Amino acid sequence: MTTTDVSPTETGWNLADVWETIASGLGDALAQQQGARQISWTEMNRRANGVATAMLAIPGAAEQDKVAQYLYNCPEYLESTFAAFKAGFATVNTNYRYAADELVYLWDNGDVTTVVFHGTFADQIEAIRDRVPRITTWLWVDDDAGPCPDWATPYEAAAIAGTDENVSGAWGRSGDHLLLLYTGGTTGMPKGVMWRQDDLFGVLDANNRMRLPPEQDLNAVDARATRPGPRNMPGAPLMHGTGLFNAISNLMVGGSITTTVGRSFSAEEFLDSVEQYDINSSSIVGDAFAKPILRALEAEPDRWDISSLRVIVSSGVMWSKETKDGLLRHNDRLIMVDALGSSEAIGMATNTTTSESVSDPNRQTAQFQLGPNTRVITDDGNDVVPGSGERGRVALRGRTPIGYYKDEAKSAETFVIIGGERYSIPGDYATVEVDGTVALLGRGSQCINTGGEKVYPEEVEECLKRHPAVADAAVVGLPDEKWGESITALVEAHPGATIESQELRDHVKANLAAYKAPKVVFEIDTVGRANNGKLDYRALKQRALDLAAK
Protein backbone atom coordinates (compact mmCIF):
# COMPACT_ATOMS: atom_id res chain seq x y z
CA MET A 1 0.00 0.00 0.00
CA THR A 2 1.15 3.53 -0.74
CA THR A 3 -0.16 6.91 0.31
CA THR A 4 0.54 9.33 -2.46
CA ASP A 5 -0.86 11.99 -4.76
CA VAL A 6 -1.65 9.89 -7.77
CA SER A 7 -0.45 11.29 -11.08
CA PRO A 8 -2.65 11.26 -14.21
CA THR A 9 -2.96 7.80 -15.67
CA GLU A 10 -1.61 7.04 -19.10
CA THR A 11 -4.54 4.72 -19.80
CA GLY A 12 -7.30 7.26 -19.34
CA TRP A 13 -9.67 8.52 -16.68
CA ASN A 14 -9.81 6.94 -13.23
CA LEU A 15 -12.76 7.89 -11.04
CA ALA A 16 -10.79 7.81 -7.79
CA ASP A 17 -8.37 10.39 -9.22
CA VAL A 18 -11.29 12.56 -10.31
CA TRP A 19 -13.11 12.44 -6.96
CA GLU A 20 -9.92 13.09 -4.98
CA THR A 21 -9.35 16.19 -7.09
CA ILE A 22 -12.89 17.40 -6.47
CA ALA A 23 -12.55 16.71 -2.74
CA SER A 24 -9.39 18.79 -2.66
CA GLY A 25 -11.11 21.71 -4.38
CA LEU A 26 -14.59 21.67 -2.85
CA GLY A 27 -13.63 20.53 0.65
CA ASP A 28 -16.55 21.41 2.92
CA ALA A 29 -19.18 21.18 0.18
CA LEU A 30 -21.80 18.47 0.62
CA ALA A 31 -21.02 15.13 -1.04
CA GLN A 32 -23.64 12.81 0.50
CA GLN A 33 -26.54 12.92 2.90
CA GLN A 34 -29.13 10.56 4.31
CA GLY A 35 -31.56 11.73 6.94
CA ALA A 36 -29.59 13.62 9.58
CA ARG A 37 -26.25 12.43 8.19
CA GLN A 38 -24.31 14.96 6.13
CA ILE A 39 -20.92 14.08 4.66
CA SER A 40 -18.67 16.67 3.04
CA TRP A 41 -16.34 15.94 0.14
CA THR A 42 -13.37 16.13 2.53
CA GLU A 43 -15.01 13.68 4.92
CA MET A 44 -16.06 11.26 2.18
CA ASN A 45 -12.52 11.23 0.81
CA ARG A 46 -11.05 10.69 4.28
CA ARG A 47 -13.46 7.86 5.07
CA ALA A 48 -12.83 6.21 1.70
CA ASN A 49 -9.11 6.33 2.47
CA GLY A 50 -9.77 4.42 5.67
CA VAL A 51 -11.86 1.76 3.95
CA ALA A 52 -9.33 1.44 1.12
CA THR A 53 -6.58 0.94 3.70
CA ALA A 54 -8.58 -1.87 5.31
CA MET A 55 -9.14 -3.51 1.93
CA LEU A 56 -5.47 -3.33 1.01
CA ALA A 57 -4.45 -4.82 4.37
CA ILE A 58 -6.10 -8.13 3.48
CA PRO A 59 -3.42 -10.83 3.09
CA GLY A 60 -2.83 -11.55 -0.57
CA ALA A 61 -4.64 -8.45 -1.81
CA ALA A 62 -4.00 -7.97 -5.52
CA GLU A 63 -4.80 -5.52 -8.26
CA GLN A 64 -8.43 -5.72 -9.42
CA ASP A 65 -9.64 -7.85 -6.52
CA LYS A 66 -13.43 -7.84 -6.53
CA VAL A 67 -15.49 -5.99 -3.89
CA ALA A 68 -19.23 -6.74 -3.71
CA GLN A 69 -21.73 -4.30 -2.24
CA TYR A 70 -24.69 -6.03 -0.60
CA LEU A 71 -26.36 -2.81 0.50
CA TYR A 72 -29.52 -0.80 0.34
CA ASN A 73 -29.15 2.81 -0.81
CA CYS A 74 -26.89 4.56 1.69
CA PRO A 75 -23.76 6.75 1.80
CA GLU A 76 -21.59 3.65 2.34
CA TYR A 77 -22.51 2.39 -1.13
CA LEU A 78 -20.76 5.18 -3.03
CA GLU A 79 -18.14 5.61 -0.31
CA SER A 80 -17.06 1.97 -0.62
CA THR A 81 -17.06 2.35 -4.41
CA PHE A 82 -14.66 5.27 -4.00
CA ALA A 83 -12.53 3.17 -1.63
CA ALA A 84 -12.37 0.22 -4.02
CA PHE A 85 -11.32 2.46 -6.88
CA LYS A 86 -8.64 4.08 -4.71
CA ALA A 87 -7.24 0.62 -3.98
CA GLY A 88 -7.29 -0.43 -7.63
CA PHE A 89 -10.08 -2.97 -7.01
CA ALA A 90 -13.21 -3.66 -9.06
CA THR A 91 -16.75 -3.37 -7.68
CA VAL A 92 -19.54 -5.95 -8.06
CA ASN A 93 -23.13 -4.80 -7.53
CA THR A 94 -25.32 -7.22 -5.60
CA ASN A 95 -29.09 -7.40 -5.87
CA TYR A 96 -30.31 -7.38 -2.27
CA ARG A 97 -33.42 -9.29 -3.35
CA TYR A 98 -31.40 -12.36 -4.31
CA ALA A 99 -31.91 -15.63 -2.47
CA ALA A 100 -29.11 -17.98 -1.37
CA ASP A 101 -28.38 -19.77 -4.65
CA GLU A 102 -28.38 -16.51 -6.58
CA LEU A 103 -25.93 -14.87 -4.17
CA VAL A 104 -23.59 -17.86 -4.33
CA TYR A 105 -23.65 -17.84 -8.13
CA LEU A 106 -23.03 -14.09 -8.34
CA TRP A 107 -20.15 -13.94 -5.88
CA ASP A 108 -18.54 -17.08 -7.23
CA ASN A 109 -18.83 -15.98 -10.86
CA GLY A 110 -17.51 -12.53 -9.93
CA ASP A 111 -14.47 -13.90 -8.02
CA VAL A 112 -15.48 -11.72 -5.06
CA THR A 113 -13.02 -11.54 -2.16
CA THR A 114 -14.62 -8.76 -0.07
CA VAL A 115 -18.28 -8.02 0.68
CA VAL A 116 -19.60 -4.78 2.16
CA PHE A 117 -23.01 -5.59 3.64
CA HIS A 118 -25.81 -4.16 5.73
CA GLY A 119 -26.22 -5.91 9.06
CA THR A 120 -29.75 -6.95 8.18
CA PHE A 121 -28.25 -9.44 5.69
CA ALA A 122 -26.06 -11.20 8.27
CA ASP A 123 -28.33 -14.24 8.55
CA GLN A 124 -28.47 -14.70 4.76
CA ILE A 125 -24.69 -14.54 4.60
CA GLU A 126 -24.22 -16.86 7.58
CA ALA A 127 -26.21 -19.54 5.74
CA ILE A 128 -23.94 -19.49 2.66
CA ARG A 129 -20.49 -18.51 3.92
CA ASP A 130 -19.16 -22.04 3.52
CA ARG A 131 -20.26 -21.98 -0.13
CA VAL A 132 -18.20 -18.89 -1.02
CA PRO A 133 -14.74 -19.73 0.37
CA ARG A 134 -12.98 -17.18 -1.85
CA ILE A 135 -14.50 -14.35 0.23
CA THR A 136 -12.12 -13.60 3.07
CA THR A 137 -13.36 -10.20 4.25
CA TRP A 138 -16.83 -9.10 5.33
CA LEU A 139 -17.28 -5.39 6.14
CA TRP A 140 -20.38 -4.96 8.31
CA VAL A 141 -22.39 -1.75 7.94
CA ASP A 142 -24.36 -1.18 11.14
CA ASP A 143 -28.08 -0.61 10.53
CA ASP A 144 -29.34 -1.48 14.02
CA ALA A 145 -30.29 -4.99 12.90
CA GLY A 146 -28.08 -6.67 15.52
CA PRO A 147 -24.47 -6.96 16.62
CA CYS A 148 -21.56 -7.38 14.24
CA PRO A 149 -20.99 -11.11 13.58
CA ASP A 150 -17.68 -12.50 14.82
CA TRP A 151 -16.71 -13.34 11.23
CA ALA A 152 -17.09 -9.71 10.08
CA THR A 153 -15.28 -6.39 10.60
CA PRO A 154 -17.15 -3.15 11.42
CA TYR A 155 -17.09 -0.90 8.36
CA GLU A 156 -17.29 2.25 10.47
CA ALA A 157 -14.09 1.42 12.35
CA ALA A 158 -12.22 1.33 9.05
CA ALA A 159 -13.87 4.50 7.76
CA ILE A 160 -13.14 6.70 10.80
CA ALA A 161 -9.50 5.59 10.76
CA GLY A 162 -8.99 7.32 7.41
CA THR A 163 -6.80 10.37 6.99
CA ASP A 164 -6.36 13.05 4.34
CA GLU A 165 -3.49 11.13 2.73
CA ASN A 166 -4.86 9.54 -0.41
CA VAL A 167 -4.45 5.79 -0.53
CA SER A 168 -3.43 3.66 -3.48
CA GLY A 169 -2.33 0.09 -4.02
CA ALA A 170 1.28 -0.65 -4.89
CA TRP A 171 0.13 -1.14 -8.50
CA GLY A 172 -1.31 2.37 -8.71
CA ARG A 173 -4.47 3.22 -10.61
CA SER A 174 -5.55 2.93 -14.19
CA GLY A 175 -8.31 3.89 -16.57
CA ASP A 176 -8.33 0.19 -17.41
CA HIS A 177 -9.54 -0.68 -13.91
CA LEU A 178 -13.05 -2.10 -13.96
CA LEU A 179 -16.50 -1.60 -12.59
CA LEU A 180 -18.44 -4.85 -12.96
CA LEU A 181 -22.16 -4.29 -13.40
CA TYR A 182 -24.00 -7.57 -13.11
CA THR A 183 -27.15 -7.65 -15.16
CA GLY A 184 -29.81 -10.19 -15.87
CA GLY A 185 -29.62 -9.32 -19.55
CA THR A 186 -32.18 -11.21 -21.59
CA THR A 187 -31.32 -14.88 -21.14
CA GLY A 188 -29.33 -17.10 -18.82
CA MET A 189 -27.76 -16.31 -15.50
CA PRO A 190 -26.59 -12.80 -14.53
CA LYS A 191 -23.55 -11.59 -16.45
CA GLY A 192 -20.90 -9.14 -15.29
CA VAL A 193 -20.64 -6.26 -17.76
CA MET A 194 -17.03 -5.05 -17.71
CA TRP A 195 -16.82 -1.27 -17.84
CA ARG A 196 -13.36 0.28 -17.97
CA GLN A 197 -13.43 3.37 -15.78
CA ASP A 198 -12.07 5.43 -18.67
CA ASP A 199 -14.93 4.36 -20.94
CA LEU A 200 -17.54 4.83 -18.23
CA PHE A 201 -16.21 8.30 -17.45
CA GLY A 202 -16.22 9.22 -21.14
CA VAL A 203 -19.77 8.12 -21.85
CA LEU A 204 -21.16 9.78 -18.70
CA ASP A 205 -19.22 13.00 -19.29
CA ALA A 206 -20.60 13.25 -22.82
CA ASN A 207 -23.83 14.71 -21.42
CA ASN A 208 -22.11 17.62 -19.66
CA ARG A 209 -22.12 21.10 -21.15
CA MET A 210 -18.48 21.62 -20.12
CA ARG A 211 -16.89 18.36 -21.25
CA LEU A 212 -13.46 17.28 -20.15
CA PRO A 213 -10.73 16.20 -22.60
CA PRO A 214 -10.45 12.57 -23.78
CA GLU A 215 -7.24 11.99 -21.79
CA GLN A 216 -7.20 12.40 -18.03
CA ASP A 217 -6.41 15.98 -17.03
CA LEU A 218 -6.96 16.64 -13.33
CA ASN A 219 -6.26 20.35 -13.76
CA ALA A 220 -9.31 20.45 -16.05
CA VAL A 221 -11.35 18.70 -13.35
CA ASP A 222 -10.25 21.30 -10.82
CA ALA A 223 -11.10 24.14 -13.22
CA ARG A 224 -14.60 22.76 -13.82
CA ALA A 225 -15.55 21.96 -10.22
CA THR A 226 -15.23 25.48 -8.82
CA ARG A 227 -18.51 25.34 -6.90
CA PRO A 228 -20.84 22.63 -5.60
CA GLY A 229 -22.68 20.82 -8.36
CA PRO A 230 -26.32 19.74 -8.62
CA ARG A 231 -28.12 17.82 -5.89
CA ASN A 232 -29.16 14.36 -7.04
CA MET A 233 -31.38 11.80 -5.31
CA PRO A 234 -31.55 8.29 -6.78
CA GLY A 235 -35.11 7.00 -6.72
CA ALA A 236 -33.84 3.75 -8.19
CA PRO A 237 -31.57 1.41 -6.20
CA LEU A 238 -27.83 2.02 -6.47
CA MET A 239 -27.45 -1.73 -7.04
CA HIS A 240 -28.85 -1.13 -10.57
CA GLY A 241 -27.14 0.78 -13.35
CA THR A 242 -29.88 3.43 -13.56
CA GLY A 243 -29.29 4.63 -10.01
CA LEU A 244 -25.55 3.97 -9.84
CA PHE A 245 -24.52 5.57 -13.12
CA ASN A 246 -26.63 8.67 -12.52
CA ALA A 247 -25.06 9.04 -9.07
CA ILE A 248 -21.53 8.57 -10.43
CA SER A 249 -22.24 11.13 -13.14
CA ASN A 250 -23.40 13.66 -10.56
CA LEU A 251 -20.33 13.16 -8.38
CA MET A 252 -18.13 13.66 -11.46
CA VAL A 253 -19.21 17.32 -11.56
CA GLY A 254 -18.88 17.92 -7.83
CA GLY A 255 -22.54 17.37 -7.03
CA SER A 256 -24.04 15.65 -4.01
CA ILE A 257 -26.07 12.47 -3.58
CA THR A 258 -29.02 12.22 -1.22
CA THR A 259 -30.35 8.77 -0.36
CA THR A 260 -33.72 8.31 1.29
CA VAL A 261 -33.94 6.57 4.65
CA GLY A 262 -36.76 4.19 3.69
CA ARG A 263 -35.72 0.94 2.04
CA SER A 264 -38.73 0.63 -0.21
CA PHE A 265 -39.85 3.43 -2.46
CA SER A 266 -42.26 5.89 -0.87
CA ALA A 267 -43.64 8.70 -2.99
CA GLU A 268 -44.26 10.75 0.15
CA GLU A 269 -40.67 10.38 1.37
CA PHE A 270 -39.40 11.12 -2.13
CA LEU A 271 -41.39 14.35 -2.32
CA ASP A 272 -40.55 15.32 1.26
CA SER A 273 -36.85 14.94 0.42
CA VAL A 274 -37.10 16.89 -2.84
CA GLU A 275 -38.58 19.82 -0.94
CA GLN A 276 -36.40 19.59 2.18
CA TYR A 277 -33.08 19.21 0.37
CA ASP A 278 -33.83 21.21 -2.82
CA ILE A 279 -33.12 18.19 -5.00
CA ASN A 280 -32.33 19.04 -8.64
CA SER A 281 -32.39 15.65 -10.35
CA SER A 282 -33.45 12.06 -9.80
CA SER A 283 -33.28 8.67 -11.50
CA ILE A 284 -36.28 6.34 -11.55
CA VAL A 285 -37.48 3.21 -13.33
CA GLY A 286 -40.60 4.17 -15.24
CA ASP A 287 -44.17 4.29 -13.99
CA ALA A 288 -43.47 2.01 -11.02
CA PHE A 289 -41.95 5.15 -9.48
CA ALA A 290 -43.57 7.97 -11.44
CA LYS A 291 -47.23 6.98 -10.97
CA PRO A 292 -47.08 6.87 -7.15
CA ILE A 293 -45.37 10.27 -7.21
CA LEU A 294 -48.13 11.69 -9.40
CA ARG A 295 -50.88 10.13 -7.27
CA ALA A 296 -49.41 11.70 -4.14
CA LEU A 297 -49.20 15.11 -5.82
CA GLU A 298 -52.75 14.86 -7.11
CA ALA A 299 -54.07 13.81 -3.71
CA GLU A 300 -52.37 16.72 -1.91
CA PRO A 301 -51.51 19.34 -4.55
CA ASP A 302 -50.58 22.01 -2.01
CA ARG A 303 -48.41 19.87 0.24
CA TRP A 304 -45.08 19.89 -1.64
CA ASP A 305 -42.97 22.49 -3.40
CA ILE A 306 -40.98 20.57 -6.02
CA SER A 307 -39.82 23.58 -8.01
CA SER A 308 -36.15 22.70 -7.35
CA LEU A 309 -36.53 19.45 -9.29
CA ARG A 310 -35.41 20.04 -12.86
CA VAL A 311 -34.61 16.62 -14.34
CA ILE A 312 -35.99 13.11 -13.91
CA VAL A 313 -34.28 10.35 -15.88
CA SER A 314 -35.89 6.96 -16.40
CA SER A 315 -33.92 4.07 -17.84
CA GLY A 316 -34.89 0.45 -18.23
CA VAL A 317 -38.66 0.98 -18.46
CA MET A 318 -40.49 3.65 -20.43
CA TRP A 319 -43.03 5.74 -18.58
CA SER A 320 -46.34 6.83 -19.98
CA LYS A 321 -47.24 10.09 -21.69
CA GLU A 322 -50.14 10.56 -19.25
CA THR A 323 -47.85 10.37 -16.23
CA LYS A 324 -45.40 12.87 -17.68
CA ASP A 325 -48.19 15.28 -18.56
CA GLY A 326 -49.50 14.97 -15.01
CA LEU A 327 -46.13 15.74 -13.43
CA LEU A 328 -45.77 18.84 -15.59
CA ARG A 329 -48.96 20.19 -14.04
CA HIS A 330 -47.10 20.30 -10.73
CA ASN A 331 -43.77 21.56 -12.08
CA ASP A 332 -43.83 23.09 -15.56
CA ARG A 333 -40.01 23.47 -15.57
CA LEU A 334 -39.49 19.72 -15.28
CA ILE A 335 -37.46 17.90 -17.93
CA MET A 336 -38.30 14.19 -18.15
CA VAL A 337 -35.98 11.89 -20.05
CA ASP A 338 -36.53 8.34 -21.24
CA ALA A 339 -33.03 6.95 -21.74
CA LEU A 340 -32.82 4.00 -24.10
CA GLY A 341 -29.83 2.14 -22.78
CA SER A 342 -28.74 -0.84 -20.81
CA SER A 343 -25.89 -2.13 -18.70
CA GLU A 344 -24.10 -2.90 -21.96
CA ALA A 345 -24.84 0.34 -23.82
CA ILE A 346 -25.31 3.78 -22.26
CA GLY A 347 -26.85 6.60 -24.27
CA MET A 348 -28.24 4.76 -27.30
CA ALA A 349 -31.20 7.11 -27.65
CA THR A 350 -33.41 9.47 -25.65
CA ASN A 351 -36.95 10.77 -25.53
CA THR A 352 -37.30 14.11 -23.74
CA THR A 353 -40.53 15.63 -22.50
CA THR A 354 -40.87 19.27 -21.43
CA SER A 355 -43.76 21.69 -21.13
CA GLU A 356 -42.95 22.89 -24.67
CA SER A 357 -43.16 19.41 -26.17
CA VAL A 358 -46.52 18.49 -24.62
CA SER A 359 -48.45 20.26 -27.39
CA ASP A 360 -46.85 18.13 -30.12
CA PRO A 361 -49.71 15.90 -31.37
CA ASN A 362 -47.25 13.33 -32.72
CA ARG A 363 -45.39 12.88 -29.43
CA GLN A 364 -45.07 9.22 -28.42
CA THR A 365 -43.30 7.74 -25.42
CA ALA A 366 -41.82 4.87 -27.44
CA GLN A 367 -40.16 7.14 -30.03
CA PHE A 368 -36.52 8.02 -29.49
CA GLN A 369 -33.92 10.28 -31.02
CA LEU A 370 -30.82 8.25 -31.81
CA GLY A 371 -27.51 9.32 -30.35
CA PRO A 372 -24.63 10.24 -32.69
CA ASN A 373 -23.02 6.80 -32.33
CA THR A 374 -26.21 4.76 -32.66
CA ARG A 375 -27.62 2.82 -35.61
CA VAL A 376 -30.51 0.45 -36.16
CA ILE A 377 -29.19 -2.48 -38.14
CA THR A 378 -30.62 -5.58 -39.74
CA ASP A 379 -29.31 -9.04 -38.94
CA ASP A 380 -26.94 -8.81 -41.95
CA GLY A 381 -25.40 -5.59 -40.65
CA ASN A 382 -27.13 -3.06 -42.93
CA ASP A 383 -28.90 0.06 -41.72
CA VAL A 384 -32.68 -0.07 -41.50
CA VAL A 385 -34.14 2.25 -44.12
CA PRO A 386 -36.24 5.01 -42.50
CA GLY A 387 -39.94 4.53 -43.13
CA SER A 388 -39.50 1.00 -44.47
CA GLY A 389 -41.19 -0.66 -41.49
CA GLU A 390 -38.24 -3.05 -41.33
CA ARG A 391 -37.23 -4.23 -37.88
CA GLY A 392 -33.63 -3.99 -36.68
CA ARG A 393 -31.52 -4.04 -33.56
CA VAL A 394 -30.23 -0.87 -31.93
CA ALA A 395 -26.43 -0.83 -32.05
CA LEU A 396 -24.05 1.55 -30.25
CA ARG A 397 -20.41 2.21 -31.09
CA GLY A 398 -17.76 4.19 -29.26
CA ARG A 399 -17.51 4.02 -25.47
CA THR A 400 -18.87 0.59 -24.63
CA PRO A 401 -17.95 -2.23 -22.21
CA ILE A 402 -15.15 -4.60 -23.12
CA GLY A 403 -17.34 -7.67 -22.66
CA TYR A 404 -18.93 -9.95 -20.09
CA TYR A 405 -16.75 -11.17 -17.27
CA LYS A 406 -15.54 -14.73 -17.93
CA ASP A 407 -18.01 -15.26 -20.78
CA GLU A 408 -16.36 -15.03 -24.19
CA ALA A 409 -19.27 -16.64 -26.02
CA LYS A 410 -21.87 -14.17 -24.74
CA SER A 411 -19.42 -11.31 -25.27
CA ALA A 412 -19.03 -12.28 -28.93
CA GLU A 413 -22.83 -12.28 -29.38
CA THR A 414 -23.34 -8.80 -27.90
CA PHE A 415 -20.13 -6.94 -28.79
CA VAL A 416 -19.79 -7.19 -32.55
CA ILE A 417 -17.39 -5.81 -35.16
CA ILE A 418 -19.22 -4.15 -38.07
CA GLY A 419 -17.26 -2.41 -40.80
CA GLY A 420 -14.15 -2.46 -38.65
CA GLU A 421 -15.89 -0.77 -35.70
CA ARG A 422 -16.94 -2.39 -32.44
CA TYR A 423 -20.61 -2.17 -31.53
CA SER A 424 -22.62 -3.09 -28.47
CA ILE A 425 -25.92 -4.72 -29.48
CA PRO A 426 -27.85 -5.67 -26.31
CA GLY A 427 -30.95 -6.84 -28.20
CA ASP A 428 -33.37 -3.90 -28.34
CA TYR A 429 -35.46 -4.10 -31.51
CA ALA A 430 -36.84 -1.02 -33.25
CA THR A 431 -38.13 0.41 -36.51
CA VAL A 432 -36.99 3.75 -37.98
CA GLU A 433 -39.55 6.39 -38.88
CA VAL A 434 -39.30 8.66 -41.91
CA ASP A 435 -38.09 11.54 -39.71
CA GLY A 436 -35.24 9.40 -38.36
CA THR A 437 -36.72 8.72 -34.93
CA VAL A 438 -36.82 5.14 -33.77
CA ALA A 439 -39.90 3.34 -32.46
CA LEU A 440 -38.83 0.89 -29.79
CA LEU A 441 -40.36 -2.57 -30.04
CA GLY A 442 -38.66 -4.22 -27.07
CA ARG A 443 -36.21 -7.04 -26.50
CA GLY A 444 -36.19 -9.93 -28.90
CA SER A 445 -36.20 -12.49 -26.11
CA GLN A 446 -38.92 -13.28 -23.61
CA CYS A 447 -37.26 -11.40 -20.77
CA ILE A 448 -39.85 -9.88 -18.42
CA ASN A 449 -39.14 -6.42 -17.04
CA THR A 450 -41.11 -5.92 -13.85
CA GLY A 451 -40.49 -2.66 -11.99
CA GLY A 452 -37.01 -2.44 -13.53
CA GLU A 453 -36.05 -5.99 -12.52
CA LYS A 454 -35.28 -8.43 -15.31
CA VAL A 455 -36.80 -11.87 -14.88
CA TYR A 456 -36.15 -14.89 -17.09
CA PRO A 457 -39.23 -17.03 -17.70
CA GLU A 458 -37.18 -20.22 -17.85
CA GLU A 459 -35.78 -19.69 -14.37
CA VAL A 460 -39.21 -19.27 -12.80
CA GLU A 461 -40.63 -22.11 -14.86
CA GLU A 462 -37.98 -24.52 -13.66
CA CYS A 463 -38.64 -23.48 -10.08
CA LEU A 464 -42.38 -24.02 -10.48
CA LYS A 465 -41.81 -27.45 -12.01
CA ARG A 466 -39.93 -28.51 -8.89
CA HIS A 467 -43.20 -28.26 -6.94
CA PRO A 468 -44.74 -31.74 -6.57
CA ALA A 469 -48.11 -30.63 -7.96
CA VAL A 470 -46.77 -29.11 -11.18
CA ALA A 471 -46.18 -31.13 -14.34
CA ASP A 472 -45.17 -28.20 -16.54
CA ALA A 473 -45.24 -24.42 -16.48
CA ALA A 474 -44.92 -21.38 -18.68
CA VAL A 475 -44.27 -17.83 -17.49
CA VAL A 476 -45.14 -14.64 -19.38
CA GLY A 477 -45.29 -10.94 -18.60
CA LEU A 478 -48.61 -9.16 -18.84
CA PRO A 479 -49.03 -5.36 -19.02
CA ASP A 480 -49.25 -3.86 -15.56
CA GLU A 481 -49.98 -0.21 -14.76
CA LYS A 482 -47.63 -0.09 -11.80
CA TRP A 483 -44.84 -2.53 -12.65
CA GLY A 484 -44.73 -2.31 -16.43
CA GLU A 485 -45.14 -6.08 -16.63
CA SER A 486 -46.47 -8.54 -14.06
CA ILE A 487 -45.22 -12.10 -13.90
CA THR A 488 -47.98 -14.53 -14.78
CA ALA A 489 -47.71 -18.31 -14.59
CA LEU A 490 -49.62 -20.84 -16.66
CA VAL A 491 -49.28 -24.26 -15.03
CA GLU A 492 -50.46 -27.76 -15.75
CA ALA A 493 -50.91 -30.11 -12.83
CA HIS A 494 -49.90 -33.70 -12.40
CA PRO A 495 -52.93 -36.03 -12.67
CA GLY A 496 -54.89 -35.88 -9.43
CA ALA A 497 -52.87 -32.94 -8.05
CA THR A 498 -54.39 -29.66 -6.93
CA ILE A 499 -52.89 -26.30 -7.84
CA GLU A 500 -52.89 -23.80 -4.97
CA SER A 501 -51.84 -20.39 -6.26
CA GLN A 502 -50.50 -19.00 -2.99
CA GLU A 503 -48.61 -22.21 -2.31
CA LEU A 504 -46.86 -21.91 -5.67
CA ARG A 505 -46.00 -18.27 -5.06
CA ASP A 506 -44.55 -19.16 -1.66
CA HIS A 507 -42.59 -22.00 -3.29
CA VAL A 508 -40.95 -19.58 -5.75
CA LYS A 509 -40.20 -17.04 -3.02
CA ALA A 510 -38.50 -19.75 -0.96
CA ASN A 511 -36.09 -20.48 -3.81
CA LEU A 512 -35.74 -17.25 -5.79
CA ALA A 513 -35.94 -13.53 -5.14
CA ALA A 514 -39.46 -12.56 -4.11
CA TYR A 515 -40.02 -10.29 -7.12
CA LYS A 516 -39.70 -13.35 -9.39
CA ALA A 517 -42.80 -14.98 -7.90
CA PRO A 518 -45.85 -14.85 -10.19
CA LYS A 519 -48.51 -12.38 -9.19
CA VAL A 520 -51.14 -14.50 -10.91
CA VAL A 521 -51.29 -18.28 -11.47
CA PHE A 522 -53.63 -19.86 -14.03
CA GLU A 523 -54.16 -23.61 -14.20
CA ILE A 524 -54.44 -24.91 -17.78
CA ASP A 525 -54.65 -28.36 -19.37
CA THR A 526 -51.30 -28.09 -21.17
CA VAL A 527 -48.65 -25.46 -21.90
CA GLY A 528 -48.32 -27.01 -25.36
CA ARG A 529 -44.64 -27.68 -25.66
CA ALA A 530 -43.46 -28.58 -29.17
CA ASN A 531 -41.47 -31.71 -29.91
CA ASN A 532 -38.25 -29.73 -29.53
CA GLY A 533 -39.30 -28.71 -26.02
CA LYS A 534 -39.93 -25.07 -26.91
CA LEU A 535 -42.93 -22.99 -25.93
CA ASP A 536 -44.99 -20.67 -28.11
CA TYR A 537 -44.73 -17.64 -25.83
CA ARG A 538 -46.79 -15.41 -28.09
CA ALA A 539 -49.75 -17.81 -27.96
CA LEU A 540 -49.27 -18.38 -24.23
CA LYS A 541 -49.26 -14.65 -23.55
CA GLN A 542 -52.50 -14.24 -25.47
CA ARG A 543 -54.03 -17.10 -23.54
CA ALA A 544 -53.00 -15.46 -20.27
CA LEU A 545 -54.52 -12.18 -21.44
CA ASP A 546 -57.76 -13.95 -22.28
CA LEU A 547 -57.86 -15.65 -18.88
CA ALA A 548 -57.11 -12.39 -17.09
CA ALA A 549 -59.98 -10.70 -18.91
CA LYS A 550 -62.56 -13.22 -17.67
Side-chain angles (χ1 to χ4, degrees), residues 128-244:
I128 62 169
R129 280 181 58 233
D130 61 342
R131 299 172 61 189
V132 284
R134 185 183 288 112
I135 300 175
T136 59
T137 303
W138 305 89
L139 293 177
W140 170 80
V141 177
D142 188 4
D143 59 354
D144 296 323
C148 180
D150 57 11
W151 42 264
T153 300
Y155 177 97
E156 188 64 17
I160 63 175
T163 70
D164 291 326
E165 290 188 89
N166 289 325
V167 174
S168 174
W171 40 81
R173 301 185 192 143
S174 168
D176 289 331
H177 284 170
L178 299 176
L179 177 151
L180 292 184
L181 185 67
Y182 268 79
T183 175
T186 56
T187 58
M189 298 300 289
K191 299 178 293 295
V193 180
M194 296 186 289
W195 276 100
R196 293 175 61 247
Q197 289 189 41
D198 180 61
D199 287 327
L200 183 60
F201 181 93
V203 74
L204 294 178
D205 196 55
N207 295 319
N208 291 321
R209 283 178 294 180
M210 186 186 297
R211 295 181 58 184
L212 295 173
E215 289 300 320
Q216 178 161 290
D217 181 348
L218 299 181
N219 289 326
V221 173
D222 204 34
R224 183 171 75 175
T226 56
R227 59 181 181 179
R231 296 174 293 277
N232 176 268
M233 182 172 65
L238 291 170
M239 67 176 180
H240 287 325
T242 298
L244 180 61

Side-chain angles (χ1 to χ4, degrees), residues 235-237 265 267 270 283-294 451-452 482:
F265 182 75
F270 178 91
S283 55
I284 64 171
V285 185
D287 277 344
F289 290 76
K291 284 191 173 183
I293 293 171
L294 179 57
K482 179 178 182 181

Side-chain angles (χ1 to χ4, degrees), residues 428-444:
D428 297 284
Y429 280 81
T431 57
V432 183
E433 306 301 317
V434 174
D435 63 1
T437 60
V438 298
L440 185 65
L441 302 175
R443 286 291 171 100

Side-chain angles (χ1 to χ4, degrees), residues 15 126 144:
L15 287 165
E126 181 70 62
D144 296 323

